[in-house]
Amino acid sequence: IFPLKQEIRAYVESGQYERDITAIAQQAQAWLEKRAAQGGGRLAVVFDLDETLISNWPEISGQDLGYVAAVWAAWVAAGEAPAIAPVREVYRTARRLGVDVIFLTGRRERDRAGTEKNLQAMGCGEYTALVFKPDDSKETTGAFKLAERKRLAAEGRVIVANLGDQESDFAGGYAERTFRLPDPFYLTP
């Protein structure tokens, strides 16, 4: 009935989705190891959260790849989403190397408590900054994230890697390298 939904489920359930993520995460880890060894300023790595470090697949699948705002809000507030394990290894590598970890998310400030709970539960509770979109923001996620990366650079941080799953995570630059993970579920402007 909905061939695209079937294709998405097959992609995830076959293991190919995780293999694709793992390959990109390994590239990011190798780059961080190499780049951190070079030094050169206050190094930082920027991580998106949803479908980058945090997997919402249990909720997305449970909603038959649909979206209901109130159900989504409850999911985020519960703070029980699993980590995307290969990307969590990139996080751990950054921490081990002393590279600043910046979480930059399109989630709203009102999602802070559930998000912090989730990050702690996943073993990702130590970071330099966790930046949310203001609750009343009207700008696109891409514009918001670009402004934040620009601000981080102006503060003297050298963003050596930016990991995300949407084009809006990278638009406008301000990162030495970008690592885009697959996201067959949705697009964010």
Side-chain angles (χ1 to χ4, degrees), residues 105-126:
T105 180
R107 288 182 177 194
R108 302 293 176 141
E109 188 61 46
R110 65 181 164 259
D111 298 320
R112 182 175 290 276
T115 303
E116 288 176 338
K117 176 184 174 188
N118 209 148
L119 290 169
Q120 286 290 340
M122 292 171 21
C124 298
E126 295 181 23

Side-chain angles (χ1 to χ4, degrees), residues 13-90:
E13 293 168 3
S14 71
Q16 188 59 49
Y17 174 60
E18 184 161 349
R19 286 190 293 276
D20 291 346
I21 287 172
T22 299
I24 294 164
Q26 288 172 342
Q27 292 170 15
Q29 270 186 276
W31 167 248
L32 277 179
E33 295 273 0
K34 178 181 174 186
R35 184 59 183 84
Q38 295 170 0
R42 199 164 158 201
L43 306 184
V45 59
V46 171
F47 290 85
D48 171 54
L49 292 181
D50 295 302
E51 277 52 72
T52 298
L53 184 61
I54 296 175
S55 173
N56 295 299
W57 175 244
E59 182 62 23
I60 291 168
S61 178
Q63 292 297 312
D64 195 31
L65 284 77
Y67 174 79
V68 177
V71 174
W72 176 257
W75 166 255
V76 171
E80 297 173 351
I84 296 178
V87 179
R88 182 173 54 198
E89 289 306 310
V90 178

